[in-house]
Amino acid sequence: MRVLIAEDLYLLRDGLARLVEDYGHTVVATTQDGPSTRLALLEHQPDVSIIDVRMPPTNTDEGLQAALAARRERPGLPILILSQHVEQLYARELLADKAGGTGYLLKERVVDAEEFIDALERVGAGGTALDPAVVSALIGGQPRTSPLATLTERERSVLALMAQGLSNTAIGRQLHLSEGGISKHTTSIFTKLAVVEDEDINRRVLAVLTYLSQAD
C-alpha cells in the first residue's frame, strides 16, 4: 500500500515510517502540519493515511480537519486517525459519510506492531478499525430514540467488536459463543438496522458506520 503519515513529532513520525516500510508498504509522503497534510492527501491520494489529530499551527484539530477536507473532495479516502485522546465529535464527523475506510486508534494503546499494521491494512481495504474506548464513547452517547436502543445487550457487544474490525470467529472467542451464534446476532443487527444485502456494499461496515455516526 501507498501510505501517508501526518505527525508533528519527529521520533514518532520516523518510527511509523520505518514500521510501515518494514511490513512491505511504501511511505509516499510525511507531513508535520495541517495545511501540508491536506495538500499531500490530495496530491498523492494514498491508499491509506495515518493522521494525528492535533498538529501545528495551532495544535488543536488541524490534522483531522485536513483529513475531513480531503475526504470531502475524494469520498472514501482511507484515513486512520492516531490520537492521544478520544475526540467524540470528530470521530462522529469522520464516520458520518458511511463510506468506510476509517479508523481511530489511541496512541497509548498501540503496543503491538502486527496489530497496528493489521488495522492499517483493514482501513486501507475499506474496513474499520476503532479503539474500544472510541466505540464505548460513541455507542454510550446514543439517545433512547436511536435504533441502537432496539439491540439486546449481546447484540451491542457484537456490534462493538465488529467496529474494532474483528471477524465472526474472533468475536466468538471473545464472547465465548459459536461462530454460528455470532452469525445469528449479526443477522439480527442487520435486520434491526434495515441494512439490506447488496453485493456492492459491505454490510458489516455499513452497520457499524450507521450506528456509530448517529448524532447524540
Side-chain angles (χ1 to χ4, degrees):
M1 295 189 304
R2 300 169 61 256
V3 183
L4 180 147
I5 299 172
E7 167 61 56
D8 60 313
L9 297 178
Y10 168 75
L11 289 178
L12 182 53
R13 186 172 66 250
D14 184 65
L16 286 170
R18 290 174 184 271
L19 175 63
V20 166
E21 292 181 338
D22 282 347
Y23 277 82
H25 302 298
T26 301
V27 176
V28 295
T30 61
T31 60
Q32 49 192 311
D33 60 62
S36 64
T37 296
R38 179 180 178 181
L39 291 175
L41 284 168
L42 295 175
E43 176 184 352
H44 296 282
Q45 296 193 14
D47 297 317
V48 63
S49 299
I50 305 169
I51 299 181
D52 187 15
V53 171
R54 300 181 180 183
M55 300 180 70
T58 66
N59 292 307
T60 54
D61 61 356
E62 280 88 344
L64 187 49
Q65 289 301 330
L68 292 170
R71 200 167 157 102
R72 282 192 290 269
E73 295 193 42
R74 185 193 162 192
L77 184 70
I79 300 292
L80 173 59
I81 296 297
L82 192 58
S83 177
Q84 291 182 323
H85 312 280
V86 179
E87 304 281 1
Q88 187 178 137
L89 175 63
Y90 298 135
R92 289 189 186 282
E93 189 172 357
L94 183 66
L95 294 165
D97 61 12
K98 303 182 181 68
T102 52
Y104 198 125
L105 302 179
L106 297 183
K107 292 179 180 178
E108 65 180 25
R109 297 163 71 105
V110 177
V111 296
D112 185 281
E114 289 190 3
E115 287 185 5
F116 176 74
I117 293 298
D118 177 67
L120 183 68
E121 293 173 345
R122 194 160 60 244
V123 171
T128 60
L130 301 177
D131 190 284
V134 177
V135 175
S136 295
L138 295 178
I139 290 182
Q142 297 294 336
R144 292 182 179 273
T145 56
S146 166
L148 186 64
T150 67
L151 295 183
T152 65
E153 194 63 35
R154 180 65 76 184
E155 288 167 349
R156 289 167 66 95
S157 297
V158 170
L159 177 61
L161 293 173
M162 284 172 59
Q164 294 174 41
L166 274 63
S167 65
N168 280 5
T169 300
I171 294 173
R173 284 198 298 266
Q174 290 257 6
L175 300 180
H176 306 292
L177 294 172
S178 68
E179 190 168 346
I182 297 301
S183 293
K184 290 180 180 179
H185 286 308
T186 57
T187 298
S188 177
I189 290 171
F190 295 152
T191 299
K192 291 178 179 180
L193 182 59
V195 175
V196 298
E197 188 167 0
D198 187 324
E199 62 181 13
D200 295 325
I201 298 176
N202 184 322
R203 291 201 299 167
R204 293 173 68 88
V205 172
L206 186 57
V208 168
L209 298 182
T210 297
Y211 278 107
L212 300 186
S213 64
Q214 293 179 48
D216 288 344

